[in-house]
Amino acid sequence: MFNLVVFGAPGSGKGTQSARLINEYGLYHISTGELLREHIKQNTELGRVAESYISKGNLIPDELMIEILEHELDSNEETRAGVIFDGFPRTIEQAKALNVMMNRRGTKVHAVIGLDVADEELIQRLLKRGEESGRSDDNLETINSRLKVYHSVTKPLRKFYEEEGKYLDIPGTGSVEDIFHTIRHALEGINAD
Ligand code: AMP
C-alpha cells in the first residue's frame, strides 16, 4: 500500500492527478480544500470559520487543520489501505504532524508527488477555472494572495521532503495523460508496504 502526498501550488493539477491516482492504485482520497468547501456548502460552524480564511487566500490555522485531518483519518476505515493527501500538508508544522499521525498508525508517507508549474501558467489556469468553479478564491486578487502564501509558507516543504528522500519532482505542464505517465513512472521506484 501507498500513502502519497500530492503537492504543488494552487492550480498545479493536484485534484486532476489525484483522481487518476485513485483509479490506478485504489487509494482513499483526502482533499482538505474539498472537505472545507463541503462544510461551507452545508453552512456548518467550521464552514463559516473556514470561509473567512479561504476567501482571503489565507491558510486555515495549523491546529484546526491538523485536527480536521486526523478526524477524517479516524472516521474512515478505508484509509488503512492507503491515502492520497491532496492539499495537505501545506506547512512544515502540518508535515511534522502528518509524520506523527502515520507513525502512530504503523505506517508512513511513502512519496510526495511535487507538481511543478510556473506562476504565469497557474494564474491563467485559476482564472479560467474561476469562470466555472464559483469558488470565492478563484479571482485575481485572491489568486495572488494564495501564490504568495504558497511561495512563503508551503514551498519550503519541498526541501523538508527532499531531506526525507521522498520528493518526486514532476513537471506539471503538458497533457494530463503525459503528466500522469511521468508520475506512474516515478512511483515504480517506490517501495510500497
Ligand atoms: P485547495 O482546494 O487545496 O486549493 O484549498 C483551498 C483553500 O482551502 C486554501 O487556499 C486554504 O485556504 C484552505 N486549505 C486547504 N487545505 C489546507 C491546509 N492543508 N492548510 C490550511 N489551509 C488549507
Side-chain angles (χ1 to χ4, degrees), residues 32-33 36-37 54 58-60 65 87-88 90 94 135:
T32 42
L36 296 168
R37 281 189 290 280
I54 292 177
N58 293 327
L59 295 183
I60 275 66
M65 200 67 244
F88 186 99
R90 266 176 152 99
Q94 291 180 13
R135 280 175 56 162

Side-chain angles (χ1 to χ4, degrees), residues 74-141:
D74 284 342
S75 45
N76 295 286
E77 271 295 309
E78 308 98 290
T79 57
R80 294 181 182 278
V83 179
I84 293 187
F85 295 97
D86 164 2
F88 186 99
R90 266 176 152 99
T91 66
I92 300 276
E93 189 164 336
Q94 291 180 13
K96 287 182 177 165
L98 183 59
N99 278 352
V100 172
M101 283 186 245
M102 293 285 99
N103 217 335
R104 239 189 260 139
R105 289 165 175 77
T107 183
K108 64 178 182 180
V109 170
H110 292 79
V112 176
I113 296 160
L115 296 169
D116 187 28
V117 178
D119 278 11
E120 305 77 64
E121 165 99 14
L122 294 169
I123 293 168
Q124 291 316 315
R125 287 187 190 180
L126 290 167
L127 285 174
K128 190 150 177 269
R129 185 172 79 186
E131 289 169 12
E132 291 150 21
S133 69
R135 280 175 56 162
S136 64
D137 54 353
D138 282 346
N139 60 76
L140 191 56
E141 194 187 343

Side-chain angles (χ1 to χ4, degrees), residues 6-21 29 84-88 90 113 115 125 146 150:
V6 180
F7 177 80
S12 59
K14 297 189 294 293
T16 305
Q17 294 300 331
S18 293
R20 297 289 166 117
L21 286 159
H29 184 209
I84 293 187
F85 295 97
D86 164 2
F88 186 99
R90 266 176 152 99
I113 296 160
L115 296 169
R125 287 187 190 180
R146 288 159 73 199
Y150 170 74

Side-chain angles (χ1 to χ4, degrees), residues 41-58:
K41 214 164 96 188
Q42 307 292 336
N43 198 22
T44 65
E45 170 93 37
L46 170 60
R48 287 190 289 276
V49 173
E51 173 67 3
S52 67
Y53 292 97
I54 292 177
S55 61
K56 294 189 193 77
N58 293 327

